[in-house]
Amino acid sequence: DTSDLYITAVYFTITTMSTVGYGDISGHNNFERMISSFLMILGVFFFSFASGNLTSIITNYDNVNYKS
């Protein structure tokens, strides 16, 4: 089915772009692939948010403690 091919292609694209990798465990049907894709995108957003906040905290700490 054409929709199966597109969902599989999007799943592998998201897997590659999120650097999760292919591994031994992967989605075997469209529902599992869609849920996995959603969780990978959500994980990338949370990791980016956490990294940004940590960078902001360190920058503010440096500005307060090491003013020239």
Side-chain angles (χ1 to χ4, degrees):
D1 190 18
T2 305
S3 64
D4 290 340
L5 291 176
Y6 281 114
I7 291 172
T8 303
V10 169
Y11 168 73
F12 279 107
T13 302
I14 292 172
T15 301
T16 301
M17 291 177 62
S18 65
T19 67
V20 171
Y22 303 109
D24 295 334
I25 301 171
S26 62
H28 295 288
N29 58 42
N30 287 341
F31 179 73
E32 291 174 353
R33 289 184 187 114
M34 289 188 303
I35 294 296
S36 297
S37 297
F38 172 73
L39 290 175
M40 284 185 272
I41 291 171
L42 189 66
V44 167
F45 282 124
F46 277 129
F47 183 76
S48 300
F49 179 75
S51 297
N53 278 339
L54 182 61
T55 302
S56 177
I57 290 168
I58 292 171
T59 302
N60 289 335
Y61 178 79
D62 285 346
N63 287 339
V64 168
N65 292 323
Y66 300 108
K67 287 187 178 182
S68 299

